[in-house]
Amino acid sequence: MSQSNTPVPPDLPRTTTAALAEPTQRVSPRWVTGLVLVNVGINAAFFGPINIFIAQQAIGIDEANKEAIASLVLGCGAAVSLVANPVFGALSDRTVSGFGRRSPWVLAGAILATAALLAMSGATAVALMVLFWCLVQLGANAAYAAITAAIPDRVPVLQRGGVGGLAALGQTVGILLGAVFGAVVSGNFMVGYWLCAAALLLSVLPYLFHRNDPTLPRELRPLFSWGNFLRGFWISPRLYPDFAWAWLTRFLVNVCNQLTIVYLIFFLADVIKHENPALGVLTLTGIYAVLVMITAVIAGPWSDRVGKRKPFVIASSVMIAMAGLTMAFFPVWTGALVGAGILGIGYGAYQAVDFALLTQVLPQAADRGKDMGVINVAASLPQVFATGLAFLAVTQFGGYGTLFTTAAVIGLLGAVFVVKIKSVR
């Protein structure tokens, strides 16, 4: 499989320095373990508060307006994450420290997010919750942008499916760990924030002690100007069509996934009439998470062995869409169980192999961090976009059948457009 064969602008540096060269040596299990643990810690720090602790804290501040408070806090944090990820990725591309390009941002981001989580635990006003959660998002996204860019930096193409699968495994374990923290603390959100902070800070240490992060020679760092820096976030679809198609397909498939799960608790309560919707969501989430972890670690190495990405991405995108159709046409508890299983199988394989495909269409080595940050927006933006679309589908355009059918159509479009990517098989 090859890198993108689209043209590279002539004014960009060409070099074989270790920091910018295409990796050829397989990374060690120890390095991969460190990478996976960073993903565990970051996702525990994200999803413990998102799913549990922010809502509990909002109830403590003003129970009558808890939904508005939680929405404000989470919405502001999401806005920060959309900007922070590509910006910190770009800054890490330019970093010339003796500690490497990515590692300083993993460390600094983890420290900032840890401190903000600890401060969040004592916040007694809505404004403080917004401020500290935005700082959590700022720090955690700095670390995430750097650790994501480390994969195309150090992992050879024919190992990226396997490493991408393990990274997806780490993300899912982190989400589950956040849920475990919520169950363990039994409503004491202050302790929950401390557990998330400890998990994040401890998770980065193994990677930092075995980081494999070559330094960028100072003379190879481009001169800085605000104009060039800001213009760099626009990646021309004309010059780099494969990157553009990869971004679009990732966006569409993630919109499909979000639409399928965003109103799940309301679907169980209002349509299926589940006697305990919260327990139902936990059951479906458990099925989904287990299958994501299994298929991620199977599909990634499988795609490495056969030397192909697109068939796996197309098939997994179709499966994600089929989960929506299952929920639309079989709105019963058994249908929900089957849908959760199909979604988990599809999304696990998609996360692993699509990530590997994306690393193969990056425009140039000097901007891997920035470009992976732009790619990450395709996964985070649907979390904002899907909420409004789901609201309209359910309240104005026919209810949950419309919602899940819309999700399926969008997912199938994501599968179809993968064929437009020409430089990866």
Side-chain angles (χ1 to χ4, degrees):
M1 290 174 293
S2 62
Q3 290 288 101
S4 174
N5 54 15
T6 48
V8 176
D11 57 328
L12 294 172
R14 299 176 184 271
T15 179
T16 56
T17 185
L20 303 180
E22 182 65 21
T24 57
Q25 183 175 353
R26 294 177 66 87
V27 289
S28 69
R30 182 178 175 185
W31 187 88
V32 175
T33 300
L35 176 96
V36 171
L37 289 175
V38 174
N39 277 279
V40 171
I42 289 173
N43 282 275
F46 277 145
F47 288 97
I50 287 173
N51 291 338
I52 301 168
F53 303 131
I54 287 175
Q56 293 175 342
Q57 195 168 11
I59 291 171
I61 291 177
D62 183 358
E63 185 169 4
N65 295 298
K66 59 184 183 296
E67 294 90 350
I69 294 172
S71 296
L72 175 64
V73 173
L74 293 172
C76 290
V80 169
S81 73
L82 291 176
V83 177
N85 207 293
V87 167
F88 282 114
L91 291 174
S92 73
D93 287 334
R94 300 178 52 83
T95 299
V96 294
S97 81
F99 201 45
R101 289 196 298 167
R102 314 302 180 189
S103 302
W105 297 99
V106 172
L107 177 59
I111 290 173
L112 174 59
T114 297
L117 284 166
L118 297 178
M120 188 90 173
S121 70
T124 56
V126 175
L128 290 177
M129 286 183 67
V130 170
L131 172 63
F132 294 139
W133 183 242
C134 286
L135 290 175
V136 171
Q137 287 281 357
L138 197 69
N141 273 282
Y144 185 64
I147 201 66
T148 302
I151 296 177
D153 277 351
R154 306 314 313 148
V155 182
V157 168
L158 291 180
Q159 196 184 4
R160 285 184 193 167
V163 173
L166 291 171
L169 170 68
Q171 292 167 11
T172 306
V173 171
I175 294 169
L176 291 176
L177 184 61
V180 169
F181 288 161
V184 168
V185 302
S186 301
N188 189 338
F189 63 82
M190 293 182 66
V191 176
Y193 281 123
W194 279 72
L195 288 173
C196 289
L200 175 58
L201 193 59
L202 292 174
S203 73
V204 304
L205 297 180
Y207 175 80
L208 294 174
F209 284 121
H210 192 68
R211 56 190 180 275
N212 187 14
D213 189 5
T215 61
L216 177 69
R218 189 173 297 272
E219 63 272 16
L220 293 179
R221 181 172 63 179
L223 294 175
F224 180 82
S225 74
W226 280 109
N228 288 336
F229 183 77
L230 295 175
R231 282 193 296 270
F233 293 104
W234 169 250
I235 300 170
S236 170
R238 181 179 62 83
L239 288 176
Y240 306 108
D242 282 356
F243 183 90
W245 285 116
W247 193 97
L248 178 62
T249 58
R250 191 168 183 83
F251 174 78
L252 292 172
V253 172
N254 276 279
V255 168
C256 172
N257 184 65
Q258 287 295 318
L259 286 175
T260 305
I261 65 177
V262 65
Y263 281 169
L264 192 55
I265 192 166
F266 302 142
F267 174 69
L268 294 183
D270 299 339
V271 177
I272 293 182
K273 308 297 183 183
H274 195 285
E275 60 183 13
N276 188 339
L279 179 60
V281 170
L282 180 60
T283 302
L284 298 178
T285 302
I287 294 171
Y288 166 84
V290 169
L291 289 172
V292 164
M293 291 187 286
I294 293 172
T295 56
V297 298
I298 292 174
W302 188 3
S303 75
D304 287 341
R305 286 195 299 272
V306 300
K308 294 182 179 180
R309 309 293 189 203
K310 286 164 62 175
F312 290 88
V313 174
I314 292 170
S316 58
S317 300
V318 170
M319 287 201 71
I320 294 169
M322 290 303 101
L325 290 179
T326 302
M327 306 280 267
F329 290 100
F330 301 97
V332 294
W333 177 238
T334 301
L337 292 171
V338 173
I342 295 172
L343 188 65
I345 292 170
Y347 200 64
Y350 181 84
Q351 284 283 79
V353 184
D354 188 63
F355 180 88
L357 183 152
L358 291 167
T359 66
Q360 294 176 240
V361 298
L362 299 180
Q364 59 176 5
D367 293 330
R368 287 179 184 134
K370 181 261 294 179
D371 295 339
M372 288 303 298
V374 173
I375 286 290
N376 289 337
V377 171
S380 55
L381 185 59
Q383 298 175 28
V384 179
F385 179 79
T387 303
L389 186 57
F391 177 79
L392 291 174
V394 170
T395 62
Q396 304 296 323
F397 297 108
Y400 287 94
T402 301
L403 171 64
F404 293 132
T405 303
T406 301
V409 170
I410 292 172
L412 290 173
L413 285 174
V416 169
F417 290 147
V418 172
V419 302
K420 294 286 190 176
I421 300 170
K422 303 301 184 185
S423 61
V424 181
R425 291 194 295 159

